Amino acid sequence: MQMTVFTLKQLATVLKARRKALKLTQKDVAALVGLLPKTVSALETDPGRCSVESLRLLLVALKLELILSPKDESSSMLHGAEW
């Protein structure tokens, strides 16, 4: 299922939900890709503080991909997009 993320809070929620859906702990996910469990925790609570590389590694561990597409200006105005 594809999701559109408009805010950092939404991103954090999606990451945590995906990990739980896979029945993995933060420690499990961290071990899969060489992150520290505290980095996984930070990405699930405040992803704006983390590096793009840490996010990329977490996406790999969670079997997710990042897809960029042109922004629909009318849609983003309705959702209060911060990106």
Side-chain angles (χ1 to χ4, degrees):
M1 174 171 52
Q2 195 169 356
M3 290 177 253
T4 302
V5 173
F6 293 101
T7 67
L8 291 173
K9 184 175 181 174
Q10 288 174 333
L11 176 60
T13 300
V14 167
L15 294 172
K16 185 174 184 176
R18 176 64 177 176
R19 177 180 58 78
K20 289 186 172 209
L22 293 173
K23 298 181 180 0
L24 296 170
T25 66
Q26 290 177 343
K27 188 176 179 179
D28 295 334
V29 170
L32 286 172
V33 290
L35 291 172
L36 295 173
K38 70 179 184 178
T39 303
V40 175
S41 176
L43 281 159
E44 290 183 354
T45 57
D46 188 8
R49 296 182 343 184
C50 298
S51 72
V52 173
E53 179 60 8
S54 292
L55 174 60
R56 187 191 70 77
L57 290 171
L58 182 58
L59 293 175
V60 168
L62 297 177
K63 299 178 184 167
L64 294 171
E65 62 183 355
L66 179 65
I67 299 172
L68 301 175
S69 64
K71 186 174 176 181
D72 176 2
E73 294 297 327
S74 62
S75 174
S76 65
M77 295 294 269
L78 294 173
H79 296 289
E82 67 180 49
W83 294 27

